[in-house]
Amino acid sequence: QVQLVESGGGLVQPGGSLRLSCTASRSIFSIARMGWYRQAPGKERELVATFTSYTRTNYADSVKGRFTISRDNAKATMYLQMNSLKPEDTAVYYCNVIGWGTNNWGQGTQVIVSS
């Protein structure tokens, strides 16, 4: 069973930055499709940023220019750098990896953007 462990969430003021990490218990060298999603209270889970191939990325319009997804295969870790955070970015953020024969989700990390 694959485990995905997220970290890096927290409370930040508007305009601030956070970097989320998602570390897998298995190698991600062969994984092409992986990404970040979020779910705000009372809303459905939505795509934030994903790798659509080993190098190509896709972002939600609401985070383009502010968030950057990246990966370090040697560390089996995916990152989400979030800059210029807004109150509407408040949500639980989940990492997702499609691989190893299954669709895998992390446990989520809370991000709160508030003054």
Side-chain angles (χ1 to χ4, degrees):
Q1 184 176 358
V2 176
Q3 290 188 337
L4 302 176
V5 179
E6 297 127 331
S7 62
L11 173 64
V12 63
Q13 291 187 345
S17 298
L18 284 174
R19 188 177 80 156
L20 305 183
S21 299
C22 172
T23 300
S25 60
R26 295 181 61 175
S27 171
I28 62 171
F29 273 99
S30 64
I31 304 299
R33 295 178 64 189
M34 51 197 304
W36 291 93
Y37 292 73
R38 68 186 180 187
Q39 188 166 16
K43 296 187 177 181
E44 294 188 354
R45 192 171 298 188
E46 63 177 1
L47 179 150
V48 176
T50 63
F51 284 96
T52 56
S53 70
Y54 292 103
T55 56
R56 297 185 68 175
T57 57
N58 180 50
Y59 293 90
D61 288 342
S62 60
V63 307
K64 283 181 180 176
R66 300 189 297 123
F67 291 10
T68 303
I69 189 172
S70 63
R71 60 192 289 172
D72 185 336
N73 290 339
K75 296 181 179 179
T77 300
M78 176 175 61
Y79 302 98
L80 183 68
Q81 178 66 44
M82 305 187 294
N83 298 328
S84 302
L85 282 161
K86 304 176 180 180
E88 51 263 43
D89 294 317
T90 294
V92 177
Y93 284 70
Y94 299 90
C95 66
N96 172 258
V97 176
I98 300 176
W100 313 294
T102 59
N103 187 13
N104 305 277
W105 292 92
Q107 82 287 354
T109 185
Q110 177 77 57
V111 172
I112 300 174
V113 185
S114 176
S115 55

